[in-house]
Amino acid sequence: MTNVPIEGIIFPNEKPNHESPSNWKEYFSFSTDHKVIGIQYLVTSFFFFLVGGIFAMVMRGELLTPESDLVDRTVYNGMFTMHGTVMLFLWTFPSLVGFANYLVPLMIGARDMAFPRLNAVAFWMVPVVGILMMGSFFVPGGPAQAGWWSYPPVSLQNPTGNLINGQVIWLLAVAISGVSSIMGAVNFVTTIVKMRAPGMGFFRMPLFVWGVLSAQIIQLFGLPALTAGAVMLLLDLTVGTSFFDPAKGGNPVMFQHYFWFYSHPAVYVIILPVFAIFSEIFPVYSRKPLFGYKVVAISSILIALVSGIVWVHHMYVSGTSGWMRLVFMMTTMCVSVPTGIKVFAWVATIWGGKLRLHTPMLFALGALIMFVFAGITGIMLSSVPVDVHVNNTYFVVGHFHYVLYGTVTMGLYAAIYHWFPKMTGRMYSESWGKIHFWLAFIGTNLNFLPMHPLGLQGMLRRVASYAPEYQFWNVIASLGGFLLGMSTLPFIFNMVISWMQGEKAPDNPWRAIGLEWLVSSPPPVENFEEIPIIISEPYGYGKSEPLTANLRENSHSTLTSAD
């Protein structure tokens, strides 16, 4: 499969001319090396994660008291809009794309992505999106204030009367982000389908690659809907068309269909690679083969397929007819079946294993616990009666953040610690890593668990002030939020100091099985001196079968038989 000529694709025998970065400055210049681009994504997205976190700190500070007394309400509206936007479009999406960029070619035995230049261009759109988003704070009227969902008619308001305003900039930035994501999706799908090493059939691919493939397929069929909706909204806002403006005969509910047709599956675009990270980490630190490898792989595809028919569960109270509510309640609940298969496989993998509670394993276990909780509340929200009762309340916010922070961000931390030695050639500090984990785990639960009783009691989301009876849980949530913010300090300290002065890492410090661990740390230019030939399935912990027939076979055989 690697010898099929396709115009524009650089295959291993063509050897693109990549130079290894010799200092940190080169990581922030134009490069077509997938490893450099991966680190560029990770560093850039983490910067914006900090920006989004600062917005969250301000909002939690405002919610410490029932009165709106910390920031102006328009500033508050802008901050919660930008917090949601930044955390989704500039943190979770690009950080996972960063890991995919770094790992996929290594994991499938390729020297680079299928379209290296397209890959680089897709990355450089991300800083442009960030600059536009942050720049909107300085235009008259400030940034967009309609939330990251931008429902009309609220998003069609333009009090300043200026053509260039925060909402227009927001829509342009989202459109650019969408184009970048589509470029990435085409690149990942082509790379995975066409550039796998000889012998690597689909059921010999690592599950991280399965997760990326499933997520990028969703991007390809879902993003056009969001892009179309954004362009139509932009036309309503700038040239006076009437697609969604009810004052001109438009239908604002139709925008919700465009928006959620992509934005609910987008949750799976984010979480499928994180599930795949769990599947990579649990076998390594349990010293056991992954339970049900093929079923777990197929479940990723099933989640991707079902995700396309669940979007209306966000619109139960948007005039949706009864029969549609029933249909989409059933389809939404169906997602729990392949998801439950994954959870069962992870628990079965851990069960009875020789657990090594290093920092990556702690973060993965913590994320799994919080995902199970998020899954239970997710099934509750898929039910029409419960969803109608808690619609637009903090119960939804709590569920959403258990998914996006408790599961996705904690899973990302697990991935960063796990692959840090491979990326930098240095070991991180376990002590600082465990301090980071416990602060983050406690802070996450203190922050987001109180949102559930708040929502059940009826506190609405997106507000800067509230009734005094809600203050107790809000104070707990704010203290948890501040602790969560503080938890990033030991992480930053650990990463910076370890990268500069940490102990040199061996090629395979975790005694893991996978092609990326069979090359030096950090990996050499073009990854492999010789393209590997795959002769067995991944995750063979405790078995004596080598993974490849020609790439450091002896050391790998010794490794597998020893465990």
Side-chain angles (χ1 to χ4, degrees):
M1 69 188 68
T2 57
N3 295 320
V4 179
I6 294 180
E7 185 178 355
I9 299 181
I10 300 175
F11 286 105
N13 57 352
E14 297 179 25
K15 293 190 177 181
N17 182 25
H18 292 158
E19 296 291 339
S20 287
S22 57
N23 61 64
W24 66 270
K25 293 179 183 177
E26 296 184 41
Y27 279 105
F28 301 98
S29 59
F30 191 87
S31 171
T32 56
D33 185 337
H34 72 95
K35 299 183 292 295
V36 174
I37 293 171
I39 291 176
Q40 288 175 333
Y41 267 110
L42 290 172
V43 173
T44 305
S45 60
F46 187 75
F47 169 78
F48 286 110
F49 172 63
L50 295 179
V51 173
I54 291 171
F55 293 154
M57 296 298 100
V58 174
M59 287 190 291
R60 287 314 320 175
E62 177 64 81
L63 294 172
L64 270 173
T65 58
E67 299 81 18
S68 175
D69 51 9
L70 182 63
V71 294
D72 183 82
R73 292 199 179 203
T74 57
V75 175
Y76 184 87
N77 289 342
M79 282 198 171
F80 84 68
T81 297
M82 299 309 290
H83 167 73
T85 306
V86 166
M87 288 303 196
L88 284 169
F89 294 107
L90 292 171
W91 162 237
T92 51
F93 283 114
S95 59
L96 288 163
V97 170
F99 272 112
N101 255 290
Y102 196 96
L103 293 173
V104 165
L106 283 166
M107 285 182 162
I108 65 172
R111 286 201 167 97
D112 207 328
M113 296 287 287
F115 307 108
R117 295 179 184 84
L118 189 71
N119 200 24
V121 172
F123 162 72
W124 284 104
M125 288 183 172
V126 175
V128 172
V129 172
I131 291 169
L132 282 173
M133 291 284 186
M134 296 305 106
S136 67
F137 278 92
F138 302 100
V139 299
Q145 300 180 37
W148 74 273
W149 50 92
S150 281
Y151 284 174
V154 174
S155 57
L156 293 174
Q157 296 176 4
N158 183 10
T160 65
N162 295 322
L163 179 61
I164 304 301
N165 57 63
Q167 191 63 47
V168 168
I169 293 174
W170 187 93
L171 287 166
L172 285 172
V174 169
I176 294 171
S177 177
V179 172
S180 169
S181 297
I182 290 173
M183 287 180 177
V186 170
N187 213 350
F188 281 119
V189 172
T190 306
T191 302
I192 294 169
V193 171
K194 302 299 294 184
M195 296 182 67
R196 285 169 285 125
M200 182 175 280
F202 279 106
F203 286 111
R204 284 183 176 174
M205 290 197 311
L207 283 168
F208 183 78
V209 182
W210 271 103
V212 172
L213 179 63
S214 305
Q216 297 305 320
I217 288 173
I218 295 174
Q219 292 282 65
L220 288 177
F221 78 70
L223 266 173
L226 177 66
T227 306
V231 170
M232 293 160 75
L233 186 61
L234 187 63
L235 292 174
D236 277 5
L237 192 60
T238 55
V239 300
T241 55
S242 56
F243 295 110
F244 307 124
D245 189 349
K248 298 178 181 177
N251 186 351
V253 175
M254 188 56 66
F255 176 82
Q256 295 187 31
H257 284 285
Y258 281 107
F259 180 82
W260 288 115
F261 183 80
Y262 169 72
S263 296
H264 185 81
V267 174
Y268 304 109
V269 173
I270 296 167
I271 209 162
L272 278 170
V274 175
F275 286 167
I277 288 169
F278 294 165
S279 298
E280 296 295 331
I281 286 178
F282 288 140
V284 174
Y285 297 92
S286 302
R287 311 315 297 165
K288 286 178 63 182
L290 184 80
F291 185 87
Y293 160 71
K294 289 185 179 178
V295 177
V296 174
I298 292 170
S299 69
S300 297
I301 295 295
L302 290 177
I303 291 173
L305 294 175
V306 178
S307 73
I309 49 174
V310 301
W311 79 93
V312 175
H313 84 252
H314 289 275
M315 301 166 60
Y316 287 155
V317 296
S318 299
T320 304
S321 59
W323 71 268
M324 284 185 69
R325 286 176 168 184
L326 181 62
V327 168
F328 281 91
M329 181 175 73
M330 298 301 293
T331 56
T332 304
M333 288 184 173
C334 284
V335 179
S336 63
V337 176
T339 307
I341 289 172
K342 287 180 179 291
V343 174
F344 179 79
W346 297 327
V347 173
T349 302
I350 297 168
W351 193 266
K354 301 174 184 175
L355 299 188
R356 298 186 297 178
L357 295 178
H358 294 308
T359 305
M361 185 64 165
L362 287 176
F363 270 102
L365 286 172
L368 175 57
I369 291 168
M370 287 189 276
F371 171 70
V372 170
F373 180 75
I376 292 170
T377 56
I379 292 173
M380 293 169 66
L381 286 171
S382 69
S383 169
V384 174
V386 176
D387 185 84
V388 169
H389 177 66
V390 298
N391 178 66
N392 209 28
T393 71
Y394 258 87
F395 188 93
V396 180
V397 182
H399 160 75
F400 189 57
H401 281 80
Y402 261 88
V403 173
L404 286 182
Y405 200 102
T407 307
V408 174
T409 299
M410 295 283 278
L412 280 165
Y413 279 134
I416 291 170
Y417 283 108
H418 181 62
W419 280 290
F420 181 84
K422 179 56 60 183
M423 292 179 173
T424 65
R426 302 278 182 175
M427 297 300 295
Y428 63 85
S429 164
E430 274 292 346
S431 300
W432 283 108
K434 288 176 179 173
I435 291 171
H436 173 212
F437 167 73
W438 285 112
L439 289 176
F441 186 76
I442 296 169
T444 301
N445 286 287
L446 278 178
N447 191 353
F448 304 124
L449 191 62
M451 293 180 179
H452 295 81
L454 278 174
L456 291 173
Q457 292 167 17
M459 179 173 167
L460 296 177
R461 56 176 171 169
R462 309 164 190 163
V463 295
S465 59
Y466 52 83
E469 58 262 34
Y470 301 136
Q471 186 172 16
F472 172 76
W473 287 118
N474 270 298
V475 170
I476 299 295
S478 292
L479 293 177
F482 299 146
L483 181 63
L484 197 54
M486 288 174 56
S487 73
T488 57
L489 298 178
F491 170 74
I492 295 170
F493 175 80
N494 196 359
M495 292 296 104
V496 172
I497 298 300
S498 297
W499 198 341
M500 295 171 62
Q501 303 175 359
E503 176 188 350
K504 287 193 175 179
D507 293 346
N508 191 359
W510 314 127
R511 298 175 63 76
I513 296 174
L515 289 177
E516 77 272 27
W517 299 105
L518 301 182
V519 296
S520 62
S521 300
V525 177
E526 299 175 358
N527 302 335
F528 304 98
E529 294 181 3
E530 182 181 4
I531 295 300
I533 300 172
I534 310 303
I535 60 173
S536 68
E537 294 182 2
Y539 311 109
Y541 295 95
K543 300 178 180 178
S544 59
E545 297 175 0
L547 181 62
T548 71
N550 62 333
L551 189 65
R552 306 179 73 176
E553 180 179 339
N554 292 334
S555 63
H556 187 65
S557 296
T558 301
L559 183 153
T560 52
S561 60
D563 292 306

